């Protein structure tokens, strides 16, 4: 299916994009974003059955989650961190957003993000959660993509106005099974979007990448915290 292959090409490192794709194909691909997330979660869920030390499991999970996406969302997070943080006028922020070089905020936010993600993955061994949470993270930013203005058309504009209600249908198992992490997974992208609108005037592909990256981290941290509270016999 062309729309599904396009969703895979947009969100992962797999070179499966159709040779020809029109505007409607991009919009239809949005419906399959959660399914792509499930494909990313599948190796994590399988890895959870492997009796590895927590630290090594977390490192391998991190490598899978970042590597299978081609570090796309991490790149967006780093670019957005430099542009959104610090005291600068809007024009300077927009200029920084286009600059391919990384600044202090990118290194700081990126380092803390990777540490938190690694630790959260080390603590979460629920295979069903690991299968489903990347799908919810790839749905949770879509309502805010529809709500807030775009800085420029780009790829974000190509998928805006797509079939995101269908994406909700595919993503629905996660909030039904894990309602509190799901709520946090919506609040974090909303906060990133609000910050971007306030400081940049809108969202773009880098901001969307930051929304996905931070949304995944929030979901994992919420589940890790819940697992810790449950105790070893939870």
């Amino acid at each position: 299916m062309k729309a599904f292959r396009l969703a895979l090409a947009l969100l992962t490192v797999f070179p499966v994009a159709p040779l020809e794709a029109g505007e409607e194909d991009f919009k239809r691909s949005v419906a399959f974003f959660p399914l792509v997330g499930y494909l990313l979660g599948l190796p994590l869920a399988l890895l959870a059955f492997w009796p590895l030390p927590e630290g090594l499991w977390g490192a391998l999970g991190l490598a899978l989650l970042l590597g299978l996406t081609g570090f796309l969302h991490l790149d967006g997070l780093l670019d957005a961190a430099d542009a959104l943080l610090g005291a600068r006028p809007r024009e300077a922020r927009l200029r920084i957003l286009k600059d391919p070089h990384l600044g202090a905020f990118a290194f700081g936010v990126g380092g803390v993000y990777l540490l938190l993600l690694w630790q959260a993955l080390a603590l979460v061994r629920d295979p069903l959660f690991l299968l489903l949470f990347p799908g919810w993270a790839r749905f949770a930013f879509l309502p805010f993509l529809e709500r807030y203005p775009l800085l420029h058309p780009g790829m974000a504009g190509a998928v805006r106005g797509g079939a995101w209600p269908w994406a909700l249908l595919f993503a629905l198992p996660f909030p039904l099974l894990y309602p509190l992490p799901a709520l946090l997974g919506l609040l974090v992208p909303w906060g990133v979007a609000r910050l971007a609108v306030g400081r940049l005037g809108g969202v773009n592909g880098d901001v969307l990448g930051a929304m996905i990256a931070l949304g995944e981290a929030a979901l994992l941290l919420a589940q890790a915290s819940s697992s810790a509270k449950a105790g070893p016999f939870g």
Side-chain angles (χ1 to χ4, degrees):
M1 185 184 296
K2 184 186 292 187
F4 178 66
R5 289 172 58 196
L6 193 54
L8 268 175
L10 290 173
L11 297 175
T12 74
V13 74
F14 302 119
V16 293
L19 294 177
E20 296 182 3
E23 180 180 345
E24 288 305 311
D25 294 316
F26 279 95
K27 297 192 183 305
R28 281 195 293 268
S29 72
V30 170
F32 299 102
F33 281 12
L35 297 185
V36 173
Y38 297 155
L39 288 179
L40 295 172
L42 180 60
L44 296 176
L46 295 176
L47 190 64
F49 292 102
W50 196 1
L52 294 172
E54 286 184 353
L56 180 57
W57 146 244
L60 289 175
L62 181 64
L64 283 170
L65 193 59
L66 297 181
L68 291 174
T69 60
F71 299 86
L72 176 67
H73 312 315
L74 177 61
D75 178 69
L77 174 63
L78 300 182
D79 289 340
D82 272 338
L84 291 174
L85 301 179
R88 301 182 180 93
R90 179 172 178 266
E91 293 74 17
R93 295 183 189 279
L94 292 171
R95 187 167 59 251
I96 290 170
L97 193 60
K98 298 177 182 178
D99 189 340
H101 300 93
L102 299 181
F105 285 111
F107 284 107
V109 169
V112 172
Y113 168 77
L114 291 175
L115 282 172
L116 289 174
L117 197 63
W118 166 68
Q119 184 62 78
L121 278 167
L123 294 173
V124 176
R125 292 292 188 101
D126 178 352
L128 186 57
F129 181 92
L130 292 168
L131 173 67
L132 296 178
F133 88 92
W136 182 250
R138 279 152 188 81
F139 162 78
F141 76 97
L142 292 174
F144 310 116
L145 170 61
E146 299 297 324
R147 176 177 174 80
Y148 295 115
L150 295 176
L151 292 175
H152 51 77
M155 195 56 65
V159 299
R160 182 169 175 158
W164 73 268
W166 284 103
L168 173 59
L169 184 63
F170 288 130
L172 202 55
F174 185 83
L176 293 177
L177 293 169
Y178 305 96
L180 291 180
L183 178 60
L184 186 60
L186 280 172
L187 290 176
V188 169
W190 171 78
V192 174
R194 290 291 301 170
L195 184 64
V197 171
R199 297 194 168 187
L200 299 173
V203 301
N204 73 342
D206 286 329
V207 173
L208 299 182
M211 292 161 72
I212 294 174
L214 293 177
E216 284 184 330
L219 291 168
L220 283 165
L221 288 168
Q223 184 65 8
S225 176
S226 175
S227 300
K229 289 178 180 178
F233 303 103

